[in-house]
Amino acid sequence: MRHTLEAMYSFPQRSVLTEDITTDSDYYVSQRTVASIRHQGEGFFSAPTGKSVWVRTWADRICADGAIRQEWLLQDRSAILAQLGLNVRDFAFSLNSAREQLGLENASAEVLDARWAGGPEGDDVEGPITGVIERYLTMWAGGNSGIVPSLYHPAATLYALGHCVGAGEAEINALLSGYRASFADSETQLHHLIVRKDVNEPVRISLRWSLLTWHDGYGKFGAPTRKPISITGISQLELRDGLIIREYLGIDELAIWSQIVNQ
């Protein structure tokens, strides 16, 4: 509640649009929104700039008796920083310094990873969709620096972090390779899965996953620090002809940088 009130003070003018809602039961829901917000108040993102920014938010929720009982929330905070003209690495360093001055400790990678787990197991899948999910998780987990062949449609679009968009395999590979090059091979943990097959809609998949790894390579996150890193994600995919035609990738890049620059 406190974080919500602070966000409303910093960004009082906002228009929130729901892009998609997927469910696997009466009480578990995965939602994706995109919002136009104006930075008009002092707060987490420093002094107000008056700038309007677009930001996506992903949320998996367990609901019961008309209330949210548990929530796994991701916001593309690097998109906010980029549109405000702030550097995400420098912001993470300043944020960690401020927390240190207040005597606050940052959670370990293991704790962050454990927080992202939980909830019901989700849908059972079979057939070609199983292969798509396995190849997608393998892409993040191991042995390559970019995308997995035969995973994306030739005309695919990736809505990536930092308010970036890539179209086609070459651009998508360029956006993702910097992440894969930065981190060691490790097993991707799938925490929840929803598959929707609605009439006149593409097959839609929502994955909540995490990767407990190490920053041990040169890539998007600079020189390797050998630090343990937790990457927590929600990926929402739309399929055509058994391939990903659209992906909405939810990862908080600021959270990754905060772990890397943490003293």
Side-chain angles (χ1 to χ4, degrees):
M1 290 296 295
R2 177 174 58 83
H3 290 308
T4 299
L5 291 172
E6 289 175 353
M8 292 177 65
Y9 176 75
S10 295
F11 300 95
Q13 293 188 24
R14 54 181 57 220
S15 176
V16 182
L17 307 174
T18 297
E19 290 187 311
D20 200 7
I21 296 177
T22 55
T23 63
D24 70 351
S25 65
D26 293 334
Y27 68 97
Y28 193 100
V29 62
S30 185
Q31 182 180 30
R32 184 181 73 251
T33 63
V34 61
S36 174
I37 55 179
R38 179 170 292 179
H39 188 213
Q40 294 177 296
E42 184 87 25
F44 182 83
F45 292 98
S46 302
T49 62
K51 294 181 178 180
S52 293
V53 302
W54 286 92
V55 60
R56 270 193 177 85
T57 302
W58 296 255
D60 275 18
R61 300 187 179 105
I62 293 178
C63 305
D65 301 324
I68 297 172
R69 301 301 181 186
Q70 192 169 1
E71 181 176 55
W72 296 265
L73 182 68
L74 269 177
Q75 187 175 67
D76 186 5
R77 295 189 292 179
S78 62
I80 299 176
L81 293 169
Q83 293 170 86
L84 294 181
L86 300 171
N87 179 276
V88 62
R89 181 191 183 281
D90 294 342
F91 191 87
F93 186 84
S94 298
L95 182 63
N96 283 359
S97 296
R99 289 179 58 84
E100 184 177 346
Q101 292 176 10
L102 293 172
L104 301 175
E105 293 185 2
N106 290 316
S108 68
E110 291 78 7
V111 169
L112 293 174
D113 194 73
R115 287 177 182 171
W116 202 241
E121 294 183 357
D123 291 337
D124 294 324
V125 295
E126 57 185 16
I129 294 177
T130 302
V132 171
I133 295 169
E134 289 177 350
R135 293 198 301 275
Y136 184 84
L137 296 176
T138 298
M139 178 180 70
W140 284 100
N144 65 85
S145 61
I147 65 175
V148 171
S150 302
L151 179 59
Y152 289 90
H153 191 281
T157 301
L158 168 66
Y159 296 91
L161 311 179
H163 204 52
C164 295
V165 179
E169 285 191 347
E171 289 189 6
I172 293 173
N173 186 75
L175 286 170
L176 295 180
S177 60
Y179 291 91
R180 290 297 303 116
S182 296
F183 303 108
D185 296 339
S186 187
E187 182 180 358
T188 311
Q189 297 294 324
L190 177 61
H191 301 295
H192 192 270
L193 164 66
I194 299 175
V195 177
R196 288 296 302 266
K197 299 178 181 179
D198 297 321
V199 178
N200 298 324
E201 294 280 356
V203 176
R204 286 135 59 217
I205 303 173
S206 182
L207 308 170
R208 174 163 50 89
W209 55 275
S210 66
L211 184 66
L212 189 59
T213 182
W214 297 268
H215 180 219
D216 70 343
Y218 286 90
K220 183 177 178 64
F221 295 90
T225 61
R226 315 296 180 189
K227 292 182 178 179
I229 302 294
S230 171
I231 301 175
T232 54
I234 294 178
S235 300
Q236 296 183 340
L237 316 173
E238 297 180 8
L239 306 186
R240 178 187 294 173
D241 301 325
L243 302 173
I244 299 173
I245 186 68
R246 276 183 293 273
E247 176 181 357
Y248 300 86
L249 176 60
I251 295 175
D252 185 0
E253 191 174 304
L254 178 58
I256 297 175
W257 273 114
S258 294
Q259 295 171 78
I260 290 173
V261 302
N262 186 31
Q263 301 298 319

